Amino acid sequence: MNMKKTMSDRLMVALDVQSAEEALHIRDTLADSVGWLKVGLRLFVGQGPALIAQLQTSHRIFLDLKFHDIPNTVAQAIESAGNLGVDMVNVHAGGGLPMLEAAAQAAAAFPSMQLIAVTVLTSDTMPQEQALALALQRAKLAKDAGLHGVVCSVHEAASIKALCGQDFITVTPGIRWGNQNSQDQQRIADPKTAVESGSDYLVIGRPILQADNPKAAAQEAAAMMATAKIG
Ligand code: C5P
């Protein structure tokens, strides 16, 4: 992790909205308070590659579609993502080693695109101990297959770094602070704890999208990240 990155460079906003107009409005409102925009299922299914092209003029793009299919199909989807010019894409580690290897092989043709794997969803209700064991097992699988990192909860990030190396990227959703509602998320943590636990990128959706002042909420998250005590 390059520590010269600013905290906002490490913030990914989940653009979980319906229309291109809403997505572009949030993009313009947040401007440089966040470095990344995460396009997930709702927005991509509705708006597709045309919107990606508009968003990538100002921000780095994480295409969060969590591919999980047979190896050949996933490899083809990774190639399509690479052709869009996105900066990060993901698959589900539950797809197994052959699928992860096929994905890594397809991603190798796009050296500027990072390929990461979802370990255990932060919304999963399994006990924390079980989530940690499964996340570690899946992170190791992703590392062995040649992926760049994983999506995990803050609670697993430090152990994953210890097992897979400090350069193995950890992207953590489930970020909440103050008395924010956890909604459907189970394994949550605040921005300061996320940075202290070794998270490279923090994914934040509703705490920013549903805030009275989304830009202030993003700046508040970055300020909390900056208070982290590291090393
Ligand atoms: O609104 P909230 O901050 O909970 O949004 C979290 C975002 O991160 C959502 O877009 C969700 O799809 C995504 N995500 C997640 N857990 C994962 C992988 C992705 O919450 N393991």
Side-chain angles (χ1 to χ4, degrees), residues 8 37 50 56-57 61 66 75 77 89 103 122 127 130 136-137 184:
S8 50
L37 301 174
Q56 63 196 170
T57 60
I61 306 296
K66 304 180 183 69
V89 67
T122 41
Q130 200 182 328
L136 283 169
Q137 183 194 324
D184 53 352

Side-chain angles (χ1 to χ4, degrees), residues 17-26 43 46-47 50-51 54-55:
V17 294
Q18 182 66 36
S19 70
E21 289 69 28
E22 283 170 281
L24 293 169
H25 175 70
I26 295 164
L43 193 58
Q47 305 303 328
L51 181 64
Q54 283 181 279
L55 296 172

Side-chain angles (χ1 to χ4, degrees), residues 184-197:
D184 53 352
Q185 299 285 12
Q186 296 292 327
R187 303 193 315 287
I188 61 172
D190 64 54
K192 177 175 183 267
T193 308
V195 172
E196 288 177 345
S197 304

Side-chain angles (χ1 to χ4, degrees), residues 12-16 38-41 62 64 66 90 92 118-123 151-153 171-176 181-185 187-188 203-210:
M12 298 177 151
V13 169
L15 286 180
D16 294 329
K38 184 178 84 64
V39 176
L41 292 167
F62 171 20
D64 176 23
K66 304 180 183 69
N90 62 358
H92 202 299
V118 175
T119 51
V120 180
L121 292 173
T122 41
S123 59
V151 183
C152 61
S153 93
V171 176
T172 58
I175 304 295
R176 296 291 186 273
N181 189 336
S182 59
Q183 293 147 319
D184 53 352
Q185 299 285 12
R187 303 193 315 287
I188 61 172
V203 173
I204 309 182
R206 290 162 290 184
I208 290 178
L209 300 184
Q210 296 175 359

